[in-house]
Amino acid sequence: MRAILFSLLCILSVQAAHAQNLGHNKGKATQQKYSISFADQTQVVYDGMDIKKIHQDFFLSGDRAYYTGHYINASGRYMHALKGFLPSESEMKFTDSFKMTPYGVSKMVKDDKLYDEQIKKFTALINASALLYQTRGKFVKSEEMMMLGLKIRGDRLGRTSPEFINSLHNLAVLKKNLGDYAESERIFSYIVPTLEKLYTKNSQRYVIALNNQAMLFAELGRTKKAISGLDAAIQLSEGTLYDNFIDAERIKTNRAILAQEQGDFELAGELYRSAIAGMEQKGFDDHPDYNNILIYYGALLVVNNDPNVLPFLEETRTNIQRKYGGKHPLLAKAILNTANYYLQQEDFEAAKTAFEEALEILQTAFGDEHKDVLNTLNYIGICEWQLGQIASAKQNLDRSVKGYMTQIEVIFTTMSEAEKTQFWRALKPNVDHYMAFAVDIADQYPEVLRSAYELQIKTKGILINSTTRTRQKILNSKDTALIALYNEFIRTKNLLANYYSSTKEDIAEDKIDLTELEAHANELEKELVNRSNDFDQSRVESISFSTAQQMLQADEAAIEIIRIPRKFGVSRGQVHYAALVLKSHFDEPKLVLFNNGEELETMYMKLYKNLIRLKMEDQQSYVNYWAPIENLLSGTSKVYVSVDGVYNSLNINTLLNPEGQYLIDQREYRMIPNTKYINDVRSESLNFHADKNAVLIGYPDYGNDEIFAPLPGTRDELQAINTTLNEENVETQLYLQNAATKSNIVKIEGPGILHIATHGFFLPDITNEDGMVMGVQVSKAQNNPLLRSGLLFSGAANIFNEELSLNASDNGILNAYEVMNMNLSNTDLVIMSACETGTGEIINGEGVYGLSRSFQVAGSKKIIMSLWKVNDAATKELMTSFYRYWMALGDPQIAFRKAQQKVKEEFEAPYYWGAFVMMN
């Protein structure tokens, strides 16, 4: 059971101020993030002094109160110090006496009458007071004071002064805490190298900045970069951070949080206990951060279902409430720990009470749109759902999902594809909760299926849609500078692909830092996303159920298949599949529920594939995967289907109904990535114009027939297709044998047709620890399915005998990562006449990460791909027939169906004719 915790608070000291924010799920924990804001006195005033022995003026004793966590005392002392900068009593109004707070006093000071040394002290007071307000959850006043200090420092001390840089650093932390991630990242990208230049890496300021930037990365789901930054900060902290303060413990806590999110609970526990012991040893067990770390450790105990966790949580909560009162965000964090404990125990009434108590504090601190608020609303809705309080559950779940979509609209505009992927994967479980809720109550409240359908079509394929939309905007912009930047991005990605295919020795010899090159590509991509938004402000496209319904003609239907993991209630731990069926006259989508998802994904899919491979009759798969849906399709001649999960591995046309009829003969099925695109598919040009060209490539000389068997049928296939197209006056380029090279395919740009006939591959698992696999470094391929999927071209066998091409970029293997960098924006159809080209790593809601996805990203409008190993002769007959029908009929979808039916006349088993599917 996943324990969901939300961080909310900033705990700040003069030397270091901390803020916790929502982290992202991985494994079984969602945790707080710990950022350190930087006040001005470190390394300037104290520099190794014992902070508990400071007893100077109000300013410094205010700092001492800060260090030891006595924030109210610090507030009073800062206020008195600030009063020294006030105008004379004769200039003050009577009402000014009511403004005697740090915020009020700072507003009355006339900074233009202060000399530089006074400015330094005055702005230091402003900065410290701003951190204090942040600590106490008063974020509006905190930001106002921070901006005031920043402006004065910039105007009077200069924008390169250490004081100005410090203020920028604190502002970056505050912006992160407030959810303004784009601005926070922009600031961090400036101050981290600036602090390194000003103070070197072996400085407290740089180490703290490195920690804070890592926490921003963690907030955005860039876990790998966050861990790397924290590990560097921990290593640098030895001998750099003060032994008499607790920054080292704070950074350890951050690393523990990420270890917990990664499921490394043993490392997390070690780090938490080390941080707690360090604070106790240094005499900071009365400090607020001590309680904070206890909260994190309590979250770990919840995840591990520790038998003593509840008394531990209650004691921590009592201590925090006594210290801060009943409205502080840190108290909300403690309460959420308890809420998650009850949620894990399925005591939904107690969990709801705790979530609601935390929500009230969160809304006061952060407003209604902060993601901590949205997540808490989501879990209140879940509790209400399980308690049968359906109306209020729907209201809260609706509010949370709407908020998530708003965040995506804003945040996606600043992210690369990898960052969007991690961010979306963190939010997706909350969308899954809504889907599970909707199908549970659909019998009683069928109208909820409208909302579920609209949410599904808005979010399905959200990552690939965002990527392809950005690419299209760039290429259509006619902005030469933007297109040049895009070309630089593609060159960088190609360079990365080249080095992924190089040995570590070669990379070292070339003095290439792959991590740095990856970071450069990431930054280029984000700049492209930001700049392309200037041309089109559209974000995540959404349409209503009624609009989608109006796309359908009377004899048509549309089906959205949704994979739903169940986390709560009697179905906890199970996977369900829901089919939402639309017809033009339905009042709402009709639901077909398969509550045996585990069987569909394992034993039933194994049965389907085995019977296909053995060429045996299979009527059971129709019962398993389709029969309940068929009951809603009477009177239809065409059905648009958008699949999810295990249905990506199934060709619906190959299912055999009880009457002995394959579905391909019953009606036409059109596979589409999302049913909101029905009109787009319908309006696509049906005729292949002779003014477009075709590239045909295949039958390569692999270099060793024993490693990769030749496919003589592919030569005949391509030559026959070439003849057919030439007869229709279509210009063709034919690459066979030694000309069928990787170099030749990657250099083409936007042919009307790209037909590839060769071997394909997908490696689901890699057990090697090091070395190379299919021409790619194992360490890179293990984490990227696009590097484990590809096509073989001339010379591919040389990767096994180390006789590599003199051209290092052409090793004979084109992987899916490289395919993404091709320019196929004018390509109507890509045909991969090869084995298993439609396979890959299935990501629910996003489809298959493999060759098919990469060709979509590259720009192809339609793709024909295979789901299993194909027969050479049958494939040749299928492909040549397809082109003849296409040229005669004009519609590639109709032509493809007729070609499959023709092959079926000679080879009845679906093994021969059903391997290929067309995706629009």
Side-chain angles (χ1 to χ4, degrees), residues 695-698 717-718 721 753-757 831 833 879 883:
V695 172
L696 314 175
I697 184 168
E717 172 187 327
L718 291 174
I721 292 168
I753 299 171
L754 174 58
H755 188 114
I756 305 165
I831 299 178
S833 182
M879 294 302 170
Y883 279 96

Side-chain angles (χ1 to χ4, degrees), residues 49-215:
M49 295 173 62
D50 186 342
I51 58 173
K52 291 197 172 186
K53 295 180 180 178
I54 297 172
H55 294 289
Q56 289 94 341
D57 61 20
F58 276 116
F59 185 17
L60 297 184
S61 60
D63 288 350
R64 179 183 181 280
Y66 242 142
Y67 274 113
T68 54
H70 298 89
Y71 299 127
I72 302 300
N73 185 292
S75 177
R77 291 177 182 274
Y78 284 141
M79 183 192 71
H80 284 288
L82 280 166
K83 285 171 66 177
F85 295 99
L86 286 174
S88 64
E89 291 188 15
S90 60
E91 297 179 55
M92 294 178 63
K93 301 176 183 177
F94 173 77
T95 55
D96 288 339
S97 62
F98 294 98
K99 300 179 181 178
M100 291 305 163
T101 64
Y103 177 80
V105 171
S106 68
K107 292 291 187 180
M108 293 188 288
V109 174
K110 298 180 180 179
D111 60 271
D112 58 340
K113 295 185 178 181
L114 303 178
Y115 54 84
D116 284 353
E117 286 305 311
Q118 288 178 311
I119 283 291
K120 287 184 179 180
K121 188 170 183 180
F122 172 57
T123 55
L125 281 163
I126 290 176
N127 189 50
S129 298
L131 300 183
L132 173 63
Y133 279 120
Q134 190 177 2
T135 300
R136 299 173 65 188
K138 299 182 178 181
F139 297 104
V140 174
K141 287 184 177 180
S142 175
E143 186 170 15
E144 285 191 32
M145 291 195 74
M146 211 170 280
M147 294 303 295
L148 174 64
L150 189 70
K151 182 180 185 306
I152 295 172
R153 284 175 163 177
D155 292 345
R156 294 290 301 273
L157 303 178
R159 298 176 67 85
T160 59
S161 66
E163 293 83 2
F164 182 81
I165 300 300
N166 287 346
S167 289
L168 264 185
H169 192 167
N170 288 341
L171 182 63
V173 172
L174 179 62
K175 289 293 186 181
K176 178 182 74 68
N177 296 342
L178 294 174
D180 190 350
Y181 303 117
E183 181 65 8
S184 178
E185 184 170 13
R186 187 186 69 81
I187 298 172
F188 273 124
S189 65
Y190 169 74
I191 63 172
V192 170
T194 300
L195 288 170
E196 180 183 359
K197 183 177 180 181
L198 288 174
Y199 301 107
T200 78
K201 287 185 176 181
N202 295 311
S203 66
Q204 184 187 33
R205 297 174 191 263
Y206 177 80
V207 171
I208 291 175
L210 204 59
N211 171 85
N212 292 348
Q213 186 182 47
M215 288 301 92

Side-chain angles (χ1 to χ4, degrees), residues 397-583:
L397 289 169
D398 281 340
R399 287 172 60 193
S400 66
V401 167
K402 182 179 179 181
Y404 296 140
M405 294 302 102
T406 300
Q407 287 192 342
I408 287 173
E409 298 280 349
V410 176
I411 294 172
F412 264 29
T413 63
T414 66
M415 289 180 167
S416 67
E417 183 180 18
E419 293 162 356
K420 291 173 186 174
T421 298
Q422 293 187 37
F423 188 84
W424 171 240
R425 286 181 183 176
L427 288 184
K428 179 88 167 48
N430 297 321
V431 174
D432 292 337
H433 296 161
Y434 188 93
M435 292 299 182
F437 165 73
V439 300
D440 257 16
I441 69 168
D443 287 343
Q444 188 177 0
Y445 302 93
E447 64 275 8
V448 75
L449 294 176
R450 285 180 173 238
S451 301
Y453 173 76
E454 290 169 356
L455 178 61
Q456 173 69 3
I457 63 174
K458 183 167 186 173
T459 59
K460 190 171 190 178
I462 192 171
L463 298 174
I464 191 171
N465 292 337
S466 177
T467 300
T468 54
R469 186 168 57 244
T470 298
R471 180 179 185 138
Q472 290 166 0
K473 285 189 289 184
I474 292 169
L475 296 178
N476 295 333
S477 69
K478 299 181 180 179
D479 183 318
T480 55
L482 182 63
I483 293 174
L485 182 65
Y486 175 75
N487 290 333
E488 181 186 352
F489 167 67
I490 293 299
R491 283 193 296 271
T492 303
K493 296 278 279 187
N494 283 329
L495 187 61
L496 266 174
N498 193 7
Y499 279 111
Y500 287 157
S501 301
S502 302
T503 64
K504 291 182 178 179
E505 291 78 9
D506 289 341
I507 293 172
E509 184 178 331
D510 290 350
K511 298 180 179 179
I512 295 296
D513 186 332
L514 277 183
T515 302
E516 187 175 305
L517 194 59
E518 288 167 340
H520 178 58
N522 200 56
E523 292 306 314
L524 286 173
E525 187 175 6
K526 287 194 291 185
E527 185 175 354
L528 285 168
V529 171
N530 282 321
R531 291 180 59 178
S532 66
N533 283 323
D534 294 337
F535 297 94
D536 182 358
Q537 294 302 313
S538 65
R539 297 292 185 267
V540 182
E541 181 185 1
S542 61
I543 63 173
S544 67
F545 162 73
S546 298
T547 302
Q549 192 178 37
Q550 290 168 11
M551 298 179 190
L552 295 170
Q553 296 177 3
D555 63 340
E556 294 179 338
I559 303 171
E560 275 288 348
I561 295 177
I562 310 169
R563 183 185 189 272
I564 306 174
R566 304 298 299 261
K567 301 295 183 183
F568 303 100
V570 294
S571 300
R572 177 177 174 177
Q574 298 179 15
V575 172
H576 291 178
Y577 278 83
L580 298 182
V581 182
L582 281 69
K583 284 187 175 181

